[in-house]
Amino acid sequence: MTEETLTEILPPIRHWPALDLSGVEFDPVLTELMREGPITRIQLPNGEGWAWLVTRYEDVRTVTNDPRFSREAVMDRPVTRLAPHFIPERGAVGFLDPPDHTRLRRSVAAAFTAKGVERIRERSRRMLEELVSELIQDGPPADLTATVLSPFPIAVICELMGVPAGDRHLMHTWTQLILSSSHGADVSEKAKKEMGAYFADLIGQRENSSAEDVASLLGAAVGQDEVTLQEAVGLAVLLQIGGEAVTNNSGQLFYVLLTRPDLAERLRAEPEIRPQAIEELLRYIPHRNAVGLSRIAMEDVGIQGVRIRAGDAIYVSYLAANRDPDVFPYPETIDFDRSPNPHVSFGFGPHYCPGGMLARMEEQLLVDALLDRLPRLRLAVPPEKVPFRKGALIRGPEALPVTW
Ligand code: HEM
């Protein structure tokens, strides 16, 4: 794009309020923003000023993969945002640019590849079998979130991290406090410090370990001066917390399957299509509210004929990109035969989610176990009575009352 074709006319700033949406309803404000044009300006409930928003698939991939947009620069700016508390830590993986970001991510990469995840599939399957057996033994009705969708991802992420089974509960409590906004910033900071101290200990103990869990990989990386202990601890905390995202995502996944028995029936009848069906559900599920972390333009950049000035903040919406009709025909339709399906539910560019393979493996195991062992699984309440999380960044059912 040449300089001359860039417009200086700024689109209006749209206020994007925090909405407590239910089910898998697509955010109506985002629908409006997508309709308004490929690049708009938004103001979110917290922080200051306005930021750009891109919603088309190609633009989302451009912004997230172009080094002219920096994450590190967000550290020093009170950018308009959804989250009430913003306590970014210098050196945290979400706020680094390459090459430091690459160096940090490399230290744990092996644990999150398809091979790394495969290593714990069988153990994960057995842990899930136990949880589902207990559920069946206790009998209906039950809350699927409390009995399976919450404990299972915690057990799996602890396994991958190398956290002993006896400490799972501790990890879960800290995670809840860190992620919750209702207890206040102090409580969440304290929990983060405590989890950090725990991991500093664990990583320290594993400096000479050649095991493949994340704490051992980090121990080795610290031992070889590839990352500092502080960086390693910060990363361990984020990975541990991130692990619980699967509870909310699979909560939405099962909400879809339980409210669309036709889809569940097809998955029971054709188990071979489950992996591709899960990809389609991942594309469709509105994983989060509004948008996540912004990026800052380090120089003037033209996008869709609009000049983004150096210093401007910009957001991408992966949710919107997943509904771009140029890439996903009939984007509102859940189509298990969709091919290709290059969704960006796990992000794009250097900050793409490290947990993508792990989340897929967990959702495959959950679909197998729950559909096959509970052929009559259904909601125990009408769909509109399922309680959904309020005031949250990540969307999902608070409880999923089921019977069978
Ligand atoms: C279905 C479940 C999940 C979804 C939909 C999801 C989605 C995402 C998205 C969209 C991003 C942001 C990309 C960006 O900043 O541009 C992200 C980042 C991240 N996720 Fe996930 N995630 C999931 C599960 C997990 C799991 C299981 C873990 C832990 C192992 C995890 C850990 C992280 C971390 C640490 C980051 C920051 C990466 C970075 O900035 O380099 N997530 N995730």
Side-chain angles (χ1 to χ4, degrees):
M1 171 117 358
T2 58
E3 282 279 309
E4 302 75 62
T5 56
L6 296 181
T7 175
E8 300 294 339
I9 301 167
L10 294 173
I13 299 169
R14 301 290 184 205
H15 181 56
W16 195 351
L19 301 176
D20 283 326
L21 299 163
S22 282
V24 285
E25 187 195 351
F26 196 77
D27 188 327
V29 180
L30 184 52
T31 303
E32 279 302 306
L33 288 162
M34 289 161 74
R35 211 172 278 153
E36 195 170 308
I39 178 150
T40 49
R41 291 195 299 159
I42 53 168
Q43 185 178 40
L44 292 152
N46 297 290
E48 290 171 18
W50 57 269
W52 295 102
L53 171 73
V54 293
T55 50
R56 302 304 301 256
Y57 187 82
E58 279 313 326
D59 296 333
V60 165
R61 298 217 302 183
T62 300
V63 170
T64 50
N65 209 22
D66 184 331
R68 290 176 296 175
F69 296 104
S70 160
R71 257 301 170 65
E72 219 155 304
V74 176
M75 280 290 303
D76 308 311
R77 293 270 308 273
V79 178
T80 185
R81 63 176 193 270
L82 177 64
H85 311 309
F86 184 64
I87 321 164
E89 239 153 85
R90 211 162 281 282
V93 72
F95 296 101
L96 280 178
D97 291 333
D100 282 336
H101 179 260
T102 323
R103 176 177 55 80
L104 196 52
R105 288 276 301 248
R106 198 188 300 125
S107 67
V108 294
F112 294 95
T113 56
K115 190 163 161 250
V117 166
E118 219 37 53
R119 190 181 66 82
I120 62 160
R121 182 188 286 266
E122 192 44 34
R123 254 173 294 158
S124 304
R125 200 186 57 73
R126 282 202 301 268
M127 294 190 293
L128 181 58
E129 286 289 298
E130 267 176 46
L131 287 170
V132 177
S133 295
E134 275 170 42
L135 174 76
I136 292 172
Q137 204 175 347
D138 291 346
D143 170 5
L144 199 61
T145 305
T147 52
V148 179
L149 304 183
S150 170
F152 177 56
I154 296 168
V156 173
I157 191 66
C158 286
E159 190 69 28
L160 196 76
M161 297 298 291
V163 169
D167 294 337
R168 280 180 202 159
H169 186 71
L170 201 55
M171 286 294 155
H172 177 55
T173 307
W174 279 328
T175 301
Q176 295 305 307
L177 291 174
I178 295 169
L179 294 180
S180 142
S181 54
S182 54
H183 294 90
D186 293 354
V187 175
S188 131
E189 270 305 282
K190 182 167 172 278
K192 207 189 228 174
K193 279 213 175 75
E194 288 170 2
M195 191 192 271
Y198 178 98
F199 275 119
D201 229 37
L202 195 66
I203 292 166
Q205 286 166 24
R206 306 222 174 141
E207 264 187 38
N208 297 313
S209 156
S210 56
E212 292 165 294
D213 60 80
V214 174
S216 297
L217 294 178
L218 286 170
V222 172
Q224 286 157 23
D225 284 334
E226 285 160 12
V227 301
T228 66
L229 180 61
Q230 196 193 354
E231 285 174 330
V233 167
L235 183 55
V237 168
L238 283 180
L239 290 168
Q240 180 70 41
I241 302 173
E244 295 200 31
V246 178
T247 297
N248 294 312
N249 196 273
S250 62
Q252 291 200 58
L253 185 149
F254 279 96
Y255 178 83
V256 172
L257 294 182
L258 295 169
T259 51
R260 289 280 310 270
D262 55 318
L263 296 180
E265 274 325 304
R266 183 153 180 224
L267 292 188
R268 283 198 175 92
E270 298 172 59
E272 66 284 1
I273 67 157
R274 288 175 188 172
Q276 81 203 45
I278 290 170
E279 291 305 313
E280 173 65 348
L281 290 165
L282 280 164
R283 178 192 72 82
Y284 182 84
I285 287 167
H287 181 66
R288 61 162 309 121
N289 277 308
V291 275
L293 296 175
S294 63
R295 290 167 171 83
I296 305 286
M298 303 311 283
E299 54 185 86
D300 286 9
V301 184
I303 290 193
Q304 293 276 0
V306 173
R307 186 193 308 280
I308 312 296
R309 290 189 177 278
D312 283 357
I314 185 164
Y315 280 103
V316 303
S317 170
Y318 292 124
L319 265 52
N322 279 345
R323 306 269 178 135
D324 186 331
D326 287 348
V327 183
F328 306 101
Y330 302 100
E332 313 308 324
T333 304
I334 300 176
D335 175 5
F336 287 166
D337 299 313
R338 190 181 290 283
S339 175
N341 191 351
H343 67 74
V344 282
S345 304
F346 293 110
F348 196 76
H351 288 276
Y352 78 91
C353 177
M357 288 295 173
L358 186 67
R360 287 178 165 106
M361 184 269 277
E362 291 178 52
E363 295 197 338
Q364 286 165 11
L365 292 176
L366 282 166
V367 165
D368 285 348
L370 292 169
L371 292 191
D372 294 343
R373 290 188 68 192
L374 296 164
R376 286 174 42 78
L377 185 69
R378 58 194 187 278
L379 280 182
V381 297
E384 61 279 10
K385 293 272 188 255
V386 174
F388 276 82
R389 305 179 75 212
K390 296 201 184 319
L393 304 181
I394 305 297
R395 291 175 60 178
E398 224 156 53
L400 205 46
V402 292
T403 188
W404 56 90

